[in-house]
């Protein structure tokens, strides 16, 4: 499999970039933020995403989706990274859709078409502490009556405040079980947490939340594999988002270096900045290779695709961080102003870095897998 | 008892008697600082009183001569005052660009008249100053400034625009670089002048930063009259004044690397320890240890530079080294603080995150390596003045 | 069975029959490589036989056309040959700057006569070549070379000096850049010529490196006669040939980042695991994990660049990116290898350390970012050709 | 205490620099190396060191030394770093002399004057594996007859092949005990290990080495404090050596930048190199402060002086490493040749980095002490 996009994938990329440039450029994010929009995303835009086939990119055609793979999901994620568009894409179209695609067919039929259409929003609730540690979930689900009773607190739940339903990972004695819970269920409290990047997340508190046995997705105690598979897809897509944001910040910076004058010449003529820009370019290209390879391996079902994902997420994270730091520094004072976009990229990259495991988390996975 | 011991005893007694309880202990946040000025605001009446009693004694500027309202203390006495204030955790009675920046420039370059007129009201916190250096489009090329002052006999008429003027919207007076000779080479046609921000033709507009705060303004001058008696130093030699002042500013900003709780503790609070007693994020832990080594070494380096300066063993350009390293270090420190804070620290408006304090502080640090001369400018200065590299 | 499958089966059988047992398995050390040439040395007679049988088939240069002695294989067939050789751990039959560097240049720029004359003896390992590019004092400024060739009608007389000529003391012929027009702008007066190292007036002197080895020489030319028929490409346009060749060399050196055992394993062998199953040096462990991420990403990047080149999606200048990153990565890798080896790896002459192999390799890598164009030159190229920065 | 040298310390520095420049410049190291000198050091030079008061810098005046402190020992170590002079300074004058100064007065009288005079050479044998791990010594000393029987293997023993006596750290049941052992004792095998930097070390094998009870330095099971104190002084002095070597490599590089021409101008005119040189200068100055502070704190007996030492050793190590890397790179091809000195600095810095704990070892100490 060559490490470049196929013709179809390139067309999808052009479509996604074109659509977002037209309908959701950075001014769209600013508008949502500055108007203190209650949802923090545009429902209309999300439905349009559905119509374009982006919201259901990985959802099978039989359920109204585009039936495409991880690479294509990454293409959309990268495009979203370039325009910083807030959307339920990661939470609903990637994480939840991926979990559901392993679920019973009734659950699939109930939700996948609505996710694909951009009508329903689902959120995956995994994280509990300040860091991503899916192996240490403490939320519990105890057998109770006909079903289960859940207790616990979740955070960093993407778009949780506008979710129709939550997929909650909870401990059930021996293993982890995934529960699909209507957001309006009694005992579920959801608090929106506006994030630094003006994208959306929520905290979810579960207090004696009673659910029926059919709320279980997959098998009781058997949710770990589906969760891990969804998380890996999500991580690779977030890595693609990091590439989008990092690369876009870099491109704006190179443009700035070409045009901005200081001491009587374009600042891009200063060799020290040239070398830093060339180094950053190199890092970005290398990160792009890692991300595309991870997405391709997920699609190919390659053994150890999870390690390729960790390489991609860690590398893309560190590189995008460098990209936005250099972007602000090379822009100088104006880079610090809210008026310029470069600060928005810095904020977004910070959030994407933290999302689904930061570079340290993934480096730890690499080390463990390497037997050291 | 030596003189210094007597001084310490008296100071301690005076501080005990005069520093209000409200003015002891750390500031809750930066907004609670006392800046003085015509429209001064105070967190409590005690903060006003604290500024006033200290100002009367000249202890807001302890080492300035008494004839200009200062404390007239020796360096040793000033250190004693500082340590006694730290002993009772006394807050600074007055934050002031007048004390930090303009004062030292006036003491060095001002006329007797200017010193008598401006310094005492700075000491007492009556007049709040701002700095008018940077201009839009000039950036690091400070000397390329375009704001021009036309000679009208006993006064100038100033037209132009400044940017990054800290708190210009709240300041009473400005110290400002203007071009008084448009035909001279760019460093040679600049003068350092003072004027009232209430002069007709002065307007300001706050700049919102990525941290969501607006400490800075754009400041516009439209036919602003400036009296010639308010020229500091020699006509067209304002660059000398500015350079002296910048070196001062650099040391101050560089010193930021020295602030705050040990990062290891910050991380442990947030993330806890694993079963081997180590921070429960091994990769982050390694970065924190590297940071703490650099922070410790940087602190010692600041101390060493101070001692070298006293012993005249070092060029003043060494301030660029501290500015460069300190601001880069502070940025790194806040990157790690954000990693330690994890998703909790990403909340922008919640009470849990104290309205995103960690994130806003993190974003604020990104300016450290830009303001007061970018890191690139500092490296240029080091290459030229400390390493004598050719063409630097 | 497809053609390719047939080819694989035949190749496998032939290799089984013809690759001597002595030529299977990893090389003990770099000195055991087969370089061919008039004064070729072989570790065993089997190594000589292996070179010869492969050379006869043209499989030392599998993709070169058969009319020039090459294997005439398609890219796909060549890949099959490679994978079948790896399957039995066959050693390379011939290491050769003729195959790696001169051959591709001759195929692109040489006359039919030159190809017929030089390529077959390269394939068979009969003539060993060296490269004469760098000159003392020129360094990165390759085009500033001073070795001059005076026109004497049907031949030139060459005078001057080269440096960093790999194995010049053991080579039979040299491909060499000389200045044929001293008055032209520096890139435009250079020609690419070939001559026998046995020509009167050619002398060499090995350069000892910090690793203790001497793969490089200084090479002196004192009135050396070079026939005009041995000009490759156009007169005074040798820079084009050199550039094409350098791009090739860059990719080869960059590829070094891709070698060797996973660093985590190297470290575990040396240092062991702690009670939590982690490497018993937490700080080193963090650095190794970062390195392994970069190594993995770099490998993928090489693959991607290959695919991009095939798809014509990328500028040839991209080779500079791989050269830059690969050599810096390799240096980092060997720094960590030394840390993992600890004091054991510092022993320079003991058998335990295999005569300081790790240390010598570590020192050798420091040249990666210098040879074939320094890292700084690569960054300049990226800034200019890939980023189109002004004045780059 | 101001963080600058006193007048006396400056005079000592000038004396040490002057003496080494005259009697042991880098050509001295080259001569010992290239002539394959059996000792690897010059005994004459070492006696001259004694006469100058350098060999006994920390040894009390009553035992023939100069009676000075850690700062002064650091001054000598830094000077040795600048000229790369092989000498038994670290092993004999710092580590062994420090251990002995806590020992019984008979041991002091027997050895300290001879060390101070540059007549005797003692070596401290601590390390066993490839890394410095003094907390995990496995060499044992079992009670046997009138004394002890030692078994074990030591490595990286500085100048062990020319040592008159070894100070061996061994486990004695509950604690660590230090033994002073004549190098010719039966069962002691010493193998010289020529190091990459052409400085000297040895491996020592102890097979049923029988020693009397009076071979114990200090108390049985009570050697840890003396050992730790000697190691800390040694580490601070090695850090000073790193500063010497790193700074000297830097100074040569700056000189090279000023004079070497490429593309028609001095390479020091290239801004990218200027910025890297300026960064390196800054790092070196900061490391110098850390090293001087550590030495001063040892002299002052400050609490947590050990942490200041770890800061100094880690920082000086990383910075010196950067200095020699930049030095070779900026020198280009000639920097790779044995003919130029810059490669010798790179080799020396690698060894000093490994000696008495590398930057990772000391960072780990910082983290542990910081409670994380």
């Amino acid at each position: 499999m060559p490490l470049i996009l196929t013709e179809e994938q390139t067309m999808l990329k052009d479509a996604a970039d074109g659509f977002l440039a037209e309908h959701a450029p950075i001014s769209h994010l600013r508008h949502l933020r500055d108007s203190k929009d209650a949802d923090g995303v545009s429902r209309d835009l999300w439905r349009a995403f559905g119509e374009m086939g982006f919201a259901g990119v990985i959802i099978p055609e039989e359920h109204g989706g585009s039936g495409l793979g991880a690479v294509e999901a990454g293409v959309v994620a990268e495009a979203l990274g370039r325009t910083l568009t807030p959307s339920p894409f990661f939470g609903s179209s990637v994480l939840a859709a991926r979990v559901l695609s392993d679920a019973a067919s009734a659950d699939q039929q109930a939700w996948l078409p609505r996710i694909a259409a951009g009508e329903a929003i689902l959120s995956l609730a995994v994280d509990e502490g300040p860091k991503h540690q899916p192996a240490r979930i403490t939320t519990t689900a105890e057998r109770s009556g006909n079903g289960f009773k859940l207790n616990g607190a979740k955070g960093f739940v993407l778009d949780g405040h506008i979710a129709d339903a939550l997929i909650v990972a909870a401990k059930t004695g021996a293993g982890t079980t995934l529960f699909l819970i209507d957001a309006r269920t009694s005992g579920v409290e959801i608090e929106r947490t506006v994030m630094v990047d003006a994208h959306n997340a929520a905290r979810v508190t579960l207090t004696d939340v009673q659910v029926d046995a059919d709320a279980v997705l997959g098998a009781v105690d058997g949710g770990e594999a589906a969760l891990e598979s969804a998380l890996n897809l999500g991580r690779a897509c977030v890595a693609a988002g990091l590439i989008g944001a990092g690369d876009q910040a870099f491109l704006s910076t190179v443009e700035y270096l070409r045009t901005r004058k200081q001491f009587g010449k374009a600042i891009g003529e200063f060799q020290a900045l040239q070398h830093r820009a060339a180094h950053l370019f190199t890092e970005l290209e290398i990160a792009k290779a890692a991300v595309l390879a991870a997405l391709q391996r997920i699609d190919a079902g390659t053994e150890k695709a999870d390690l390729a994902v960790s390489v991609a997420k860690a590398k893309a994270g560190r590189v995008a961080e460098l990209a936005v730091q250099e972007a602000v520094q090379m822009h100088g004072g104006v880079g610090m102003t809210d008026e310029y976009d470069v600060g928005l990229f810095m904020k977004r990259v910070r959030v994407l870095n933290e999302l689904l495991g930061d570079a340290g988390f993934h480096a730890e996975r690499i080390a463990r897998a390497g037997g050291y | 008892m030596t003189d210094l011991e007597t001084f310490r005893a008296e100071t301690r007694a005076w501080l005990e008697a005069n520093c209000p309880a409200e003015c002891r202990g750390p500031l809750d946040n930066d907004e609670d600082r006392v800046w003085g000025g015509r429209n001064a605001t105070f967190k409590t009446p005690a903060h006003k009183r604290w500024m006033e009693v200290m100002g009367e004694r000249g202890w807001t500027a302890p080492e300035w001569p008494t004839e200009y309202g200062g404390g007239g203390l020796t360096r040793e006495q000033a250190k004693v005052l500082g340590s006694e204030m730290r002993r009772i955790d006394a807050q600074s009675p007055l934050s002031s660009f007048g004390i930090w920046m303009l004062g030292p420039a006036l003491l060095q370059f001002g006329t007797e008249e200017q010193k008598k007129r401006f310094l005492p009201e700075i000491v007492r916190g009556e007049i709040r100053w701002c700095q008018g250096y940077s201009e839009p489009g000039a950036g690091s090329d400070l000397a390329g400034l375009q704001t021009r002052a036309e000679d009208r006999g006993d006064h100038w008429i100033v037209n132009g625009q400044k940017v990054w003027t800290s708190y210009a919207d709240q300041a009473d007076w400005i110290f400002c670089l203007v071009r008084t000779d448009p035909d001279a080479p760019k460093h040679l046609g600049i003068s350092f002048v003072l004027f009232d921000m209430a002069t007709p033709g002065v307007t300001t507009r706050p700049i919102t930063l990525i941290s969501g705060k607006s400490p800075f303004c754009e400041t516009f001058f439209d036919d602003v009259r400036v009296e010639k008696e308010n020229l500091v130093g020699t006509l067209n030699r304002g660059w000398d004044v500015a350079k002296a002042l910048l070196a001062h500013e650099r040391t101050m900003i560089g010193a930021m690397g020295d602030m705050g709780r040990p990062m290891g503790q910050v991380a442990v609070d947030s993330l806890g320890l694993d079963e081997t007693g180590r921070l429960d994020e091994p990769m982050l832990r390694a970065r924190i240890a590297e940071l703490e080594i650099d922070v410790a070494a940087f602190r010692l380096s600041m101390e060493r530079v101070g001692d070298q300066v006293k012993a005249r063993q070092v060029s003043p350009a060494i301030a660029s080294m501290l500015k460069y390293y300190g601001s880069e270090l502070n940025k790194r420190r806040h990157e790690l603080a954000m990693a330690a804070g994890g998703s909790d620290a990403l909340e922008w408006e919640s009470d849990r995150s104290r309205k995103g304090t960690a994130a806003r502080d993190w974003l604020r640090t990104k300016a450290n390596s830009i303001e007061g001369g970018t890191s690139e400018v500092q490296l240029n200065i080091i290459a030229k003045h400390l390493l004598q590299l050719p063409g630097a």
Side-chain angles (χ1 to χ4, degrees), chain A, chain B:
Chain A
M1 185 89 220
L3 265 176
I4 49 178
L5 295 183
T6 63
E7 217 170 301
E8 292 75 18
Q9 288 161 350
T10 305
M11 284 168 59
L12 176 68
K13 176 180 161 56
D14 294 343
D17 283 339
F19 176 83
L20 287 170
E22 192 182 340
H23 298 286
I26 294 176
S27 56
H28 176 74
L29 165 73
R30 286 186 180 276
H31 172 74
L32 289 168
R33 182 192 71 167
D34 297 340
S35 67
K36 299 196 182 294
D37 185 276
D39 290 347
V41 298
S42 158
R43 299 270 187 170
D44 288 343
L45 181 79
W46 187 233
R47 272 184 292 268
F49 241 66
E51 280 159 32
M52 293 293 294
F54 303 149
V57 61
I58 67 158
I59 291 173
E61 287 175 289
E62 72 212 74
H63 294 304
S66 303
L68 298 169
V71 172
E72 289 81 2
V75 162
V76 175
E78 183 179 328
L80 286 166
R82 287 185 192 278
T83 49
L84 305 179
T85 313
S87 88
F89 184 75
F90 288 129
S92 206
S93 300
V94 176
L95 294 170
R98 184 70 192 79
V99 168
L100 282 168
S101 68
D102 284 343
S105 84
D107 289 323
Q108 295 195 33
Q109 280 165 15
W111 290 105
L112 290 178
R114 297 182 58 209
I115 293 175
E119 281 165 12
I121 293 170
L122 266 70
S123 293
L124 182 64
V126 183
D127 289 359
E128 298 179 346
K131 302 300 274 188
H132 179 63
Q133 289 177 327
R136 304 203 204 153
I137 288 169
T138 63
T139 295
T140 55
E142 287 168 32
R143 295 254 180 211
S144 162
N146 182 31
F148 292 84
K149 196 165 65 182
L150 282 82
N151 279 287
K154 299 283 186 180
F156 213 1
V157 181
L158 298 184
D159 306 296
H161 63 302
I162 47 170
D164 298 285
L166 303 167
I167 297 172
V168 176
K171 280 285 151 203
T172 39
T176 301
T177 306
L178 299 174
F179 294 88
L180 180 70
I181 303 176
D182 189 298
R184 290 154 307 182
T185 310
S186 159
V188 175
E189 256 184 86
I190 302 179
E191 175 201 358
R192 179 180 175 193
T193 49
V194 175
M195 306 301 264
V196 59
D197 61 348
H199 284 235
N200 302 290
R203 288 183 182 258
V204 175
T205 319
L206 304 159
T207 313
D208 291 335
V209 176
Q210 183 70 43
V211 296
D212 287 346
D214 64 4
V216 173
L217 290 173
V220 174
D221 288 347
E224 239 158 272
L227 180 62
E228 191 60 18
S229 147
L231 290 176
N232 273 327
L233 178 65
R235 287 159 181 157
C237 288
V238 173
L242 281 161
I243 293 293
D247 198 46
Q248 196 60 39
F250 170 70
L251 293 174
S252 320
T253 304
V254 169
E255 190 49 36
Y256 193 76
L257 290 177
R258 288 196 195 109
T259 50
R260 161 77 168 160
K261 293 207 159 43
Q262 291 252 280
F263 303 103
K265 52 182 183 174
I267 58 174
E269 291 183 54
F270 288 100
Q271 197 198 29
L273 298 191
Q274 289 180 349
H275 279 200
R276 279 159 55 187
H279 172 74
L280 177 54
F281 168 82
T282 301
E283 289 279 10
L284 275 164
E285 289 301 307
I286 283 158
K288 285 176 195 173
V291 172
L292 182 55
L295 293 162
Q296 283 186 353
R297 280 165 203 206
I298 291 173
D299 282 333
T302 314
E303 213 194 340
K304 298 195 181 168
D306 58 332
L307 293 184
V309 168
S310 281
V311 166
K313 179 69 167 65
K315 185 69 188 165
R318 294 258 189 252
V319 171
E321 189 175 287
L322 178 66
V324 293
Q325 286 171 353
E326 288 287 46
V328 169
Q329 180 67 21
M330 291 187 188
H331 274 79
V334 299
M336 285 299 298
T337 63
D338 187 65
E339 190 185 336
Y340 271 64
D341 291 337
V342 57
L344 298 175
F345 282 96
M346 176 170 274
K347 293 170 177 179
R348 181 65 181 145
V349 164
R350 178 98 276 288
V351 173
L352 292 177
N353 254 329
E354 210 57 57
L355 189 58
L356 303 180
D358 68 2
F361 172 89
H362 290 287
E364 183 69 22
R365 292 223 304 180
I366 300 278
R368 284 282 185 189
Y372 65 95
Chain B
M1 201 142 83
T2 64
D3 287 356
L4 210 57
E5 281 164 359
T6 311
F7 177 77
R8 185 184 293 276
E10 287 169 4
T11 300
R12 183 174 298 188
W14 187 89
L15 286 172
E16 272 308 345
N18 288 281
C19 182
E22 297 91 326
C23 301
R24 303 187 188 195
L27 285 179
D28 277 353
N29 67 59
D30 222 53
E31 268 97 76
D32 294 343
R33 278 173 184 268
V34 171
W35 286 97
R38 293 177 191 144
N39 307 307
T41 56
F42 299 94
K43 192 184 176 193
T44 70
H47 284 83
K48 180 162 189 282
R49 203 164 64 241
W50 176 225
M51 178 188 85
E52 287 170 354
V53 293
M54 286 290 278
E56 273 161 36
R57 258 180 122 77
W59 281 7
T60 50
E63 291 182 66
W64 292 8
T66 47
E67 66 255 51
Y68 309 131
L73 303 189
T74 64
R75 164 140 303 187
E76 294 310 312
Q77 288 175 321
K79 276 192 184 173
V80 167
L81 172 60
S83 77
E84 288 303 314
M85 285 177 67
R86 275 194 300 279
R87 204 185 62 85
I88 61 167
D89 229 356
Q91 294 165 12
S92 167
L94 180 60
S95 297
S96 160
F97 293 116
I99 293 171
W100 299 330
M101 307 187 74
L102 177 61
L106 280 180
L107 284 169
Q108 188 178 352
F109 295 96
T111 62
E112 188 58 27
E113 215 161 55
Q114 288 170 338
K115 293 183 209 173
K116 284 250 161 66
R117 172 172 174 199
F118 294 114
L119 295 179
E121 59 191 26
I122 288 173
V123 171
R124 294 193 302 267
E126 292 165 2
I127 294 293
R128 182 170 181 182
W129 287 83
C130 65
Q131 179 197 56
Y133 279 19
S134 297
E135 299 192 2
S140 292
D141 187 9
L142 210 54
L145 62 89
Q146 302 294 326
T147 293
R148 65 196 183 286
E150 275 173 60
D151 192 331
R152 298 286 173 90
D154 63 342
H155 67 277
W156 288 286
I157 293 297
V158 173
N159 278 284
Q161 181 184 348
K162 295 286 174 182
V163 75
W164 307 118
T165 28
S166 304
Y167 302 111
D169 53 339
Q170 294 163 60
D172 305 312
W173 275 67
I174 186 168
F175 48 99
C176 192
L177 291 173
V178 295
R179 187 162 298 285
T180 38
D181 183 351
D183 303 321
K186 66 181 182 179
H187 288 84
L188 296 179
I190 294 170
S191 298
F192 189 100
V193 299
L194 316 174
F195 55 93
D196 195 316
M197 291 291 279
T199 317
V202 178
T203 50
T204 63
R205 191 163 68 88
I207 301 167
T208 305
L209 292 187
I210 56 180
S211 60
K213 301 191 177 174
S214 309
F216 299 112
C217 291
E218 292 177 287
T219 305
F220 304 89
F221 308 130
D222 183 18
D223 285 342
V224 175
R225 181 187 169 113
V226 175
E227 301 305 324
K228 285 210 174 159
E229 66 194 42
N230 291 341
L231 169 73
V232 178
T234 310
L235 183 69
N236 293 329
R237 288 291 181 279
W239 189 246
D240 298 338
V241 185
K243 265 200 315 191
L245 240 158
L246 268 177
H248 206 71
E249 184 182 359
R250 265 160 207 165
T251 315
M252 283 175 42
I253 295 173
M256 290 188 177
D258 192 26
M259 285 160 43
R261 271 191 94 200
M263 188 50 53
Q265 282 310 308
V266 171
V268 169
D269 291 348
S270 175
L271 305 175
L273 300 172
D274 71 9
E275 71 283 5
T276 67
R278 291 185 283 208
L279 185 71
D280 203 3
E281 290 275 336
M283 303 299 166
L284 179 59
R285 175 175 182 266
R287 290 189 169 221
I288 290 174
E290 297 283 353
L291 176 89
E292 289 203 336
I293 287 165
D294 287 344
V295 167
F298 178 66
R299 259 181 212 159
L300 294 164
S301 190
M302 285 199 295
E303 199 179 322
R304 175 167 173 261
V305 166
D307 293 332
Q308 286 174 320
V309 167
K310 259 185 261 167
R312 295 176 194 280
Q313 292 181 350
V314 76
S315 144
I318 202 77
S320 287
M321 180 189 98
L322 295 180
K323 161 69 168 77
Y324 163 63
Y325 203 85
S327 51
E328 295 297 334
L329 192 59
N330 203 34
K331 290 198 296 180
R332 233 172 93 205
R333 192 172 164 272
H334 281 265
E335 286 288 342
L336 293 181
M338 287 305 286
S343 54
D344 290 353
L346 300 174
E347 296 185 5
W348 191 239
E349 295 180 346
S350 72
D351 288 337
R352 272 182 308 269
S353 70
R354 295 186 299 135
K355 307 229 175 289
T357 297
R360 290 171 201 266
D361 288 351
W362 160 66
L363 290 162
R364 175 64 184 81
T365 61
K366 300 303 176 191
N368 294 162
S369 51
I370 298 168
E371 60 203 341
T374 62
S375 282
E376 290 77 14
V377 165
Q378 308 312 324
L379 291 171
N380 287 342
I381 293 172
I382 296 169
K384 178 173 187 170
H385 294 289
L386 299 174
L387 305 184
Q388 276 99 40
L389 287 176

